[in-house]
């Protein structure tokens, strides 16, 4: 039956940035669909763990700063202690630094590009090598942005990194689709999370963004749950290299 295609029972999912915002919502969604979720974050995932445990779901966490040089190795080592298979990788963790392009330091530029772009590649490569290739199956979901398609204002490194995510998603999909590994992305619109706190407290920007969203409201973390389950599940086995916008119609304008 069609709803069975969406079930994730018996699957293990790794989600980066699982302690807050969209990563927390994605973790809860995958757990509700039946997956064992391993949340990766630099801070405690206590709240996410509690919400999943309350639903009788299965959650473990790995605490690691993804900026550390051996982060991918630590994740691999600790994951292997928790499970002998990984079926889903959600590359969600990301940072945004808002400043005029003329003031961006090389350090700020590198920090954003490393976490939002380089580490997404490194972790995908490492999980694919260790789990997806031997299993001949796997799902990768990268978190893109409206700024994968548009320039944005005062966030040049973020825009560059999120634009790269769309390209990387296609590049990996082209190489790995034949191995039964589906690589796709979700591009959230303007969502009410920490990532947009600064924007939402600027009443002028906040109002102009709201006026441009056809749905007439900012997105909530839970709005992304359905897309995450779909792209993690058997239901999307013939979907490759695609970036799905969950944006209240923003890109349609
Ligand atoms: P958020 O700031 O709440 O989440 C960011 C997550 O990344 C947090 O869990 C944080 O702990 C993690 N993280 C950051 N640096 C890390 C590091 N060095 N090591 C480990 N973890 C680290 O905001 P969010 O909106 O939930 O963002 C999640 C993703 O969604 C990001 O990739 C963001 O760019 C993207 N996104 C958000 C929006 C939005 O409107 N909120 C829109 C488009 C894309």
């Amino acid at each position: 039956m069609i709803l069975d295609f969406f079930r994730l029972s018996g699957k293990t999912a790794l989600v980066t940035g699982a302690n807050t915002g969209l990563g927390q919502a994605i973790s809860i969604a995958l757990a509700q669909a039946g997956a064992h979720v391993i949340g990766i974050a630099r801070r405690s995932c206590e709240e996410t763990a509690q919400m999943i445990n309350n639903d009788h779901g299965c959650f473990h966490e790995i605490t690691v700063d993804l900026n550390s040089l051996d982060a991918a190795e630590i994740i691999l080592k600790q994951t292997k202690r928790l499970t002998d298979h990984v079926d889903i990788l959600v590359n969600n963790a990301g940072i945004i630094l808002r400043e005029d392009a003329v003031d961006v330091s090389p350090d700020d530029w590198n920090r954003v590009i490393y976490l939002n772009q380089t580490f997404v590649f490194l972790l995908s490569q490492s999980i694919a090598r260790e789990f997806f290739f031997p299993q001949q199956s796997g799902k990768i979901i990268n978190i893109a942005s409206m700024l994968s398609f548009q320039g944005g204002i005062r966030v040049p490194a973020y825009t560059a990194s999120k634009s790269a995510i769309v390209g990387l998603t296609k590049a990996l999909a082209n190489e790995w689709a034949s191995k039964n590994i589906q690589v796709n992305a979700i591009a959230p619109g303007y969502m009410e999370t920490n990532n947009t706190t600064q924007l939402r407290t600027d009443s002028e920007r906040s109002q102009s963004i709201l006026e441009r969203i056809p749905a007439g409201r900012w997105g909530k973390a839970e709005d992304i749950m359905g897309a995450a389950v779909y792209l993690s599940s058997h239901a999307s086995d013939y979907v490759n290299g695609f970036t799905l916008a969950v944006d209240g119609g923003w890109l349609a304008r």
Side-chain angles (χ1 to χ4, degrees), residues 11-84:
K11 307 283 185 194
T12 300
L14 293 182
V15 181
T16 65
N19 55 323
T20 54
L22 304 184
Q24 181 176 73
I26 291 168
S27 299
I28 292 167
L30 301 188
Q32 284 180 358
H36 165 206
V37 177
I38 301 175
I40 299 161
R42 66 189 154 161
R43 302 210 179 83
S44 161
C45 291
E46 202 181 331
E47 194 182 68
T48 310
Q50 201 166 6
M51 290 163 101
I52 290 178
N53 292 336
N54 288 348
D55 278 346
H56 309 289
C58 182
F59 181 83
H60 286 93
E61 72 181 79
I62 297 174
T63 309
V64 61
D65 185 337
L66 302 184
N67 283 322
S68 59
L69 276 180
D70 50 356
E73 223 172 282
I74 291 171
I75 291 169
L76 209 52
K77 212 162 153 190
Q78 295 201 25
T79 299
K80 285 202 272 184
R81 279 195 206 132
L82 294 167
T83 181
D84 60 2

Side-chain angles (χ1 to χ4, degrees), residues 38-152:
I38 301 175
I40 299 161
R42 66 189 154 161
R43 302 210 179 83
S44 161
C45 291
E46 202 181 331
E47 194 182 68
T48 310
Q50 201 166 6
M51 290 163 101
I52 290 178
N53 292 336
N54 288 348
D55 278 346
H56 309 289
C58 182
F59 181 83
H60 286 93
E61 72 181 79
I62 297 174
T63 309
V64 61
D65 185 337
L66 302 184
N67 283 322
S68 59
L69 276 180
D70 50 356
E73 223 172 282
I74 291 171
I75 291 169
L76 209 52
K77 212 162 153 190
Q78 295 201 25
T79 299
K80 285 202 272 184
R81 279 195 206 132
L82 294 167
T83 181
D84 60 2
H85 64 106
V86 171
D87 308 282
I88 301 152
L89 168 64
V90 183
N91 287 306
N92 163 76
I95 48 166
I96 188 162
L97 297 180
R98 295 178 195 279
E99 53 189 335
D100 293 342
V102 77
D103 294 327
V104 174
S105 69
D107 263 8
D108 285 351
W109 175 269
N110 287 334
R111 223 153 41 98
V112 174
I113 297 290
Y114 184 79
L115 185 73
N116 292 8
Q117 176 182 334
T118 309
F119 189 75
V120 169
F121 173 70
L122 294 177
L123 189 61
S124 301
Q125 184 190 50
S126 155
I127 296 301
R129 265 190 199 140
E130 187 68 29
F131 296 103
F132 295 172
F133 274 68
Q135 289 165 193
Q136 289 278 300
S137 69
K139 301 268 182 187
I140 296 179
I141 301 166
N142 297 321
I143 302 302
S145 164
M146 293 298 96
L147 303 192
S148 300
F149 307 99
Q150 301 175 317

Side-chain angles (χ1 to χ4, degrees), residues 94-96 98 158 191 193-200:
I95 48 166
I96 188 162
R98 295 178 195 279
Y158 185 81
M191 318 295 274
T193 68
N194 297 337
N195 176 285
T196 54
T197 306
Q198 249 178 299
L199 274 186
R200 284 178 290 118

